[in-house]
Structures are given as C-alpha cells and as structure tokens.
Amino acid sequence: MSKYWSPLVEKLTPYVPGEQPKMANLVKLNTNENPFGPSPRVVEAITLELNDNLRLYPDPESEALKATIAQYYSVQSEQVFLGNGSDEVLAHIFYGLFQHGEPVLYPDVTYSFYPVYCGLYNIEGKTVPLTDSFEINPEDYKQPNGGIIFPNPNAPTGRYLALDKVEAIVAANPDRVVVVDEAYVDFGGESAIKLVGQYPNLLVCQTLSKARSLAGLRVGFAIGSPEVIEALNRVKNSFNSYPLDRLAQAGAIAAFQDEDWFRATCEGVIGERDWVTSKLEALGFEVLPSKANFIFARHPDHAGEALAKGLREQGVIVRHFNKPRISDFLRITIGTADQNKRLIECLKTRV
Ligand SMILES: Cc1ncc(COP(=O)(O)O)c(C=O)c1O
C-alpha cells in the first residue's frame, strides 16, 4: 500500500502466473506450453518482418490476420476479435459483455484468472461446483446470471464437455453471453465455433499459445456474432488500439498456413499424453480423463504438495494448486518424450 495508489489498486488480488524459472536443464512442465515449438514458417515470417517498417505502427485492426482466421473457421471477418493473448481478450469480455449487476457464473475449479477479472471490474463472480468427478453439469447453469464462462476442456482438470452439453448451456441462456474458453480444444476436443452462426449469445475464445506453440508471441482471438464482437472492438479501442504488433500479426498468419505442422504437433502431444497417463496409472495415480496438453493427477498415498516439491528438487517443475478440492492434485504439462520419461523416472523414486 502506498499513498500514490488509487483505492481501486489497493483492493486488487492479481493473478499469479506459473513460474518461468531461469535455471538450466529443467524439465519445465508447469505452464502448459507446447514442447514442439512453432512451425518453421512462423519463424520465417517473423524474420521477414524484421525490417525498417518497424518504425510504423501496425495495422490496428489486424485485418489480414482476421481474414486468415475467418477463412480458417468459415466465418466472416466481423465475427473475429483479436487480442494480446487470450488473457487480454478475456479481460475485454468481462468488461464489455457481462452484465455487471448480476453474478457471472464459472466452475468452482477453473482458470484462476476469471475471479481476478471480476475483482478488476468489480463484478460479482459466482462459482458453480463441478460434479464429484470434476465435470460441468449443464443443469447447474440454469439460474439467473450476468454471463457465463468456462474453459472447454476445463483447466486445470483437462476434462472436456461434449458439444451437445455446451449447446444446452448456450440455449438455456439466450439473454446472456456464454463464453467458451477453448484454449486447449485442439488437443482432442470439438470446437463450439460451429455453433456460433446459430447462437448470437455464444462467444468462443481461443489462443495461439497452446496448440500453435506461440505463447511467447501473445495472440488470442474470439469468434462470435458481429454484435457481440462489436462490444469487444469498442472496449479495445478505448484501451489499446494496437494490441498486436507487426511481428505477432505476421507470425500468427503463418501459423494458420501450416496445417501439417499444426496437425502433427497436436497428434504428438496427444500420443505423449496417452503414454504419460498409462505410466502414471501404473504408478497408482488417479488421472482425470484429459483432452488438453496437460493432465491432472493425484496419488492416494502422497500429498500433491510434497510430490511437487520432491520433483522440483529433481529438476522437474509441475504445477500444484493449494486450493479446496484440488490440493491433492498435480497439473502436469505434456512435454517431449524425453521430458516425460524423466518425469516418470523421478516419480518412480517417490511413490
Ligand atoms: C483456460 C485458459 N484460458 C486462457 C489462457 C490464456 O492464454 P494466453 O493469454 O496465453 O492466450 C490460459 C493460459 O494458460 C488458460 O489456461
């Protein structure tokens, strides 16, 4: 607290991102980055963009990238919104699309940035408990609300909600915006983007940080009806007109142009996820079914915190959340085959 702070800042509880450690030779399985790296065509496109044009502002509307994404998902450009990572897109959603006088619903176990945005914008957040098996029950979202948001697959559980159940939530709330945060959908889920034409209240949010391996480039997007997207444009142009720099726009376009790389790396992650799951189960872990690039697992005889601490001493970093319902779990990002082997070898010495 300082006399220079505004009273609003004093009340904030900021999000704490997963650690980005500086030590060498770590097996870093704590922030759901993609182990395979971006397409070489992305690197090439960014390199080409490193020229004198950097003195000029980028296209504030990122029209070329919008058109690329619109074509990829068979929607119109005015149905696409872009932001500096999907975190920024989410921030604008909370500000511009939720009814601030009523509670915004999200699962009790979910992405921990949602309550932070509620705090930032003074919105009431209401948690809706997942079932005992950590699933979303669409029936629970039939209650008065100022908007609904959930990740699919959910984070940090990795559990996926079938599209007909997503649709049930959207259809039951025609007067409110329902946001499906699909940060991890490309690792085996089916996107709700195909429902956007039918439901003007549905907004699907995605990122290039995970399946397209560009967490460092900071590009996220949302797809919805033009009226919903227009609200986001109004917020963006009242906040930062240039959220995506020239390098990000060029790199992101190239990422959507290399479908082979995208498919191959997603399949690589899925194959490794199956391998890690079977090895963990053989060691006695309970592993929740995951359609993400991470898994959520607990051991009946070992506390999550102790396991995470022990792994860290062995140079393997995973994420542990000291929160109700999930404090026994570890969230483990799927790494390369070598990283995953090292994880399992280390765990063998501990369970
Ligand atoms: C569910 C979910 N949504 C959104 C994000 C934000 O991703 P980014 O800001 O890198 O696009 C994350 C990041 O881990 C996430 O787990």
Side-chain angles (χ1 to χ4, degrees):
M1 172 62 189
S2 154
K3 65 180 174 186
Y4 302 117
W5 292 10
S6 85
L8 293 176
V9 165
E10 198 191 327
K11 290 202 202 92
L12 294 182
T13 313
Y15 175 73
V16 182
E19 186 189 353
Q20 294 293 344
K22 304 283 181 286
M23 298 99 90
N25 292 327
L26 275 182
V27 174
K28 188 177 174 306
L29 305 176
N30 67 329
T31 46
N32 299 341
E33 287 137 339
N34 191 317
F36 293 116
S39 154
R41 285 169 64 175
V42 170
V43 179
E44 204 180 309
I46 292 174
T47 311
L48 274 176
E49 207 55 33
L50 287 172
N51 57 45
D52 186 56
N53 282 344
L54 284 175
R55 72 191 175 78
L56 301 171
Y57 282 105
D59 172 6
E61 301 310 328
S62 307
E63 290 296 354
L65 175 56
K66 251 187 219 173
T68 304
I69 293 177
Q71 193 188 15
Y72 189 88
Y73 289 106
S74 304
V75 297
Q76 303 300 311
S77 276
E78 68 261 28
Q79 293 181 271
V80 181
F81 178 77
L82 292 161
N84 188 264
S86 57
D87 280 341
E88 187 182 82
V89 177
L90 292 169
H92 293 343
I93 289 169
F94 273 75
Y95 186 81
L97 287 168
F98 290 152
Q99 302 304 315
H100 291 199
E102 294 161 75
V104 170
L105 308 182
Y106 44 79
D108 61 338
V109 178
T110 198
Y111 186 37
S112 40
F113 226 135
Y114 302 158
V116 174
Y117 292 130
C118 283
L120 178 62
Y121 297 122
N122 204 11
I123 299 171
E124 184 196 340
K126 182 172 175 192
T127 55
V128 180
L130 296 174
T131 66
D132 289 345
S133 51
F134 295 97
E135 286 170 283
I136 289 172
N137 178 2
E139 288 301 309
D140 297 339
Y141 290 82
K142 291 181 178 166
Q143 56 171 302
N145 64 77
I148 295 173
I149 183 164
F150 57 90
N152 196 30
N154 196 5
T157 64
R159 291 216 71 151
Y160 172 72
L161 185 68
L163 212 49
D164 58 328
K165 294 188 173 170
V166 172
E167 186 171 4
I169 297 175
V170 178
N173 292 277
D175 295 331
R176 291 293 179 263
V177 174
V178 177
V179 180
V180 187
D181 178 352
E182 293 187 347
Y184 303 100
V185 78
D186 294 315
F187 300 109
E190 195 182 354
S191 175
I193 291 175
K194 64 169 64 132
L195 300 175
V196 155
Q198 257 170 283
Y199 296 98
N201 63 321
L202 168 63
L203 185 67
V204 179
C205 189
Q206 289 201 6
T207 177
L208 275 71
S209 298
K210 312 295 179 182
R212 294 182 196 272
S213 205
L214 287 169
L217 204 63
R218 310 306 301 131
V219 183
F221 62 96
I223 294 184
S225 60
E227 66 184 291
V228 161
I229 296 299
E230 180 53 22
L232 297 176
N233 285 326
R234 290 175 69 117
V235 178
K236 171 228 163 206
N237 288 322
S238 307
F239 178 79
N240 175 11
S241 314
Y242 306 101
L244 297 195
D245 61 45
R246 287 175 170 271
L247 309 185
Q249 294 185 32
I253 290 171
F256 280 99
Q257 289 168 342
D258 196 347
E259 188 65 12
D260 290 348
W261 182 272
F262 169 67
R263 295 264 163 238
T265 50
C266 286
E267 276 163 28
V269 169
I270 292 167
E272 284 299 314
R273 183 178 72 205
D274 291 346
W275 185 85
V276 174
T277 302
S278 67
K279 293 290 169 192
L280 287 178
E281 283 174 348
L283 290 174
F285 280 89
E286 176 199 351
V287 184
L288 298 190
S290 170
K291 289 245 188 266
N293 69 337
F294 58 85
I295 44 129
F296 208 46
R298 67 180 156 192
H299 198 282
D301 307 325
H302 298 273
E305 192 169 9
L307 282 176
K309 199 162 163 273
L311 282 174
R312 196 190 167 84
E313 282 159 15
Q314 291 170 290
V316 178
I317 304 206
V318 300
R319 192 104 194 246
H320 172 256
F321 298 92
N322 204 359
K323 289 187 177 170
R325 291 190 80 184
I326 57 169
S327 60
D328 284 343
F329 282 87
L330 297 178
R331 193 198 66 190
I332 306 172
T333 303
I334 302 302
T336 59
D338 284 349
Q339 290 177 318
N340 298 333
K341 277 188 200 122
R342 190 151 145 217
L343 164 82
I344 298 298
E345 288 313 312
C346 291
L347 280 173
K348 275 185 188 160
T349 66
R350 311 208 154 260
V351 299

